[in-house]
């Protein structure tokens, strides 16, 4: 089996998992978007995934996103251009590489980062990363600080908030997914300019079914599509 054939097979299996999970939850399969996490994978793997019908790709590192997107931008052989998402921690000094260049930044976690993105002066959709479990090792705004950060979005010109994102602790992710959905539902009941909390980015290779059952609209899957990442 060639590498493109392997990626196409893996994508089909992941899509089938999403469809089955959505059906079990009484949801339409197209209510959940698959984000193929291509960090540390070569551009040829992205090409193969695009050929197999995948469009949206997630990158964790600003320079890798810059280089990979530039490499593929002029590729006339692609059936459709990739839609890039930035899903990793974003430092303020790397904002210029990302803001205005991706469909969605998943990892806004502070007023300072939000202000740095706004200062670029380009339209940019974002998600707020919420640290529901309060893990010291993970980025994310505390649930208690979420309303204030949403209020800050409301005062901006270029940046908007489309929803929330979560990286759960190891173990049973369901309570954390459910907590993020509850936060979204609570804050969505309050109208704010530049804020429309329609997205829940949660769930990866090992727990996408649970995430879909708890309302995920975007699942971020890397290993099940591309295999183990290079070290």
């Amino acid at each position: 089996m060639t590498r493109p054939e392997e990626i196409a097979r893996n994508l089909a299996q992941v899509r089938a998992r999403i469809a089955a999970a959505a059906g079990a939850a009484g949801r339409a399969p197209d209510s959940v978007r698959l984000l193929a996490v291509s960090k540390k994978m070569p551009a040829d793997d992205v090409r193969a995934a695009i050929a197999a019908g995948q469009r949206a790709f997630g990158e964790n590192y600003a320079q890798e996103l810059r280089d990979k997107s530039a490499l593929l931008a002029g590729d006339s052989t692609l059936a459709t251009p990739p839609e890039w998402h930035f899903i990793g921690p974003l430092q303020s000094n790397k904002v210029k590489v990302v803001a205005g260049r991706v469909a969605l930044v998943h990892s806004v976690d502070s007023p300072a980062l939000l202000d740095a993105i706004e200062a670029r002066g380009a339209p940019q959709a974002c998600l707020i990363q919420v640290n529901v479990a309060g893990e010291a090792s993970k980025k994310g705004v505390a649930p208690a600080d979420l309303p204030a950060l949403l209020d800050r979005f409301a005062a901006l010109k270029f940046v908007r908030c489309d929803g929330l994102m979560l990286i759960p602790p190891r173990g049973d992710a369901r309570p954390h997914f459910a907590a993020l959905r509850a936060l979204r539902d609570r804050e969505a009941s309050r109208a704010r300019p530049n804020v429309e909390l329609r997205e829940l980015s949660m769930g990866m290779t090992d727990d996408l079914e649970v995430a879909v059952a708890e309302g995920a609209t975007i699942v971020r899957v890397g290993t099940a599509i591309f295999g183990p990442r290079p070290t």
Side-chain angles (χ1 to χ4, degrees):
M1 181 182 297
T2 66
R3 179 63 171 163
E5 289 171 340
E6 177 188 7
I7 290 172
R9 178 204 63 189
N10 292 348
L11 274 168
Q13 291 173 347
V14 172
R15 290 178 186 132
R17 288 175 61 189
I18 292 170
R27 301 176 57 190
D30 62 4
S31 67
V32 185
R33 286 193 290 160
L34 172 60
L35 185 65
V37 179
S38 50
K39 70 174 183 179
K40 295 189 176 182
M41 294 299 173
D44 280 346
D45 281 4
V46 176
R47 289 189 179 96
I50 291 172
Q54 180 63 26
R55 185 178 176 217
F57 297 87
E59 292 286 338
N60 283 59
Y61 308 110
Q63 289 95 333
E64 184 179 358
L65 169 67
R66 177 196 62 199
D67 296 345
K68 202 176 292 183
S69 61
L71 184 62
L72 294 172
D75 191 338
S76 60
T77 67
L78 297 180
T80 183
E83 175 186 292
W84 296 105
H85 293 223
F86 190 80
I87 61 176
L90 182 57
Q91 298 173 326
S92 294
N93 64 347
K94 300 293 176 61
V95 164
K96 61 181 179 293
V97 181
V98 174
R101 302 172 185 269
V102 296
L104 196 57
V105 175
H106 288 231
S107 47
V108 172
D109 63 353
S110 70
L113 177 57
L114 179 55
D115 290 348
I117 297 172
E118 173 72 9
R120 295 299 298 167
Q124 181 61 66
C126 299
L127 306 179
I128 294 175
Q129 181 174 351
V130 185
N131 191 343
V132 171
E135 290 183 284
S137 61
K138 285 193 174 74
K139 297 283 189 177
V141 65
D145 296 330
L146 177 61
L149 193 53
L150 289 168
D151 289 343
R152 201 176 189 99
F153 270 96
L156 301 180
K157 179 179 180 181
F158 296 105
V159 185
R160 72 175 194 266
C161 183
D162 282 358
L164 308 178
M165 178 268 227
L166 169 70
I167 301 174
R170 293 183 180 274
D172 183 8
R174 187 180 292 273
H176 307 289
F177 293 156
L180 190 71
R181 186 190 69 242
L183 283 172
R184 189 276 309 273
D185 292 348
R186 184 190 74 194
E187 294 302 327
S189 67
R190 177 181 170 188
R192 295 177 174 93
N194 304 322
V195 175
E196 186 177 350
L197 302 179
R198 60 179 179 270
E199 303 286 8
L200 285 176
S201 173
M202 57 189 196
M204 296 181 280
T205 290
D206 293 336
D207 55 18
L208 73 84
E209 285 87 357
V210 177
V212 171
E214 293 295 340
T217 63
I218 300 172
V219 292
R220 310 180 305 270
V221 179
T223 303
I225 297 170
F226 298 112
R229 296 181 185 90
T231 56

